Amino acid sequence: MTAARFDELIHPSTRLTLVATLAAADWAEFAFLKDRLGLSDSALSKQLTTLEEAGYVLTERRLDGGRRKVRAQLTSTGRDAFNGHIAALQEIVAGVAPPVEG
């Protein structure tokens, strides 16, 4: 089980959505991520670079029919950070949520 730990790098909503999307896939194409998050090319590139520099994301650039394609994958470090962040958020919510009546 992953230890709960709040991660300031993942927490901003754009990065949290990006990491959650990558957690649900093996690899995700840049165009898919751009559409899913509603970001410009430059904004998505910046977010991917930030996560890649932290070791949370791996990007791959390749040629496909003469066009440059980029795809991204969550690393095991990124997955651990995401799972720890989600666990921390769940602890926060559980601590303030009213008891569920059965």
Side-chain angles (χ1 to χ4, degrees):
M1 180 172 194
T2 302
R5 61 187 179 281
F6 193 87
D7 191 307
E8 293 286 344
L9 184 70
I10 292 175
H11 190 67
S13 63
T14 299
R15 279 194 219 126
L16 184 57
T17 303
L18 176 55
V19 172
T21 301
L22 292 173
D26 184 29
W27 285 93
E29 296 292 330
F30 188 91
F32 171 78
L33 295 170
K34 180 181 162 185
D35 290 344
R36 172 93 166 92
L37 278 71
L39 296 175
S40 66
D41 287 357
S42 62
L44 178 55
S45 291
K46 181 179 177 183
Q47 297 304 327
L48 287 171
T49 298
T50 298
L51 292 167
E52 192 167 27
E53 288 173 352
Y56 289 4
V57 169
L58 175 66
T59 58
E60 179 182 271
R61 289 154 179 80
R62 64 194 195 295
L63 285 176
D64 183 19
R67 294 189 56 177
R68 190 173 67 102
K69 293 244 182 170
V70 177
R71 65 183 188 162
Q73 179 183 55
L74 198 60
T75 65
S76 59
T77 300
R79 190 169 302 281
D80 288 345
F82 175 67
N83 290 336
H85 188 71
I86 295 303
L89 292 174
Q90 289 171 334
E91 283 183 2
I92 291 167
V93 171
V96 297
V100 177
E101 294 184 25

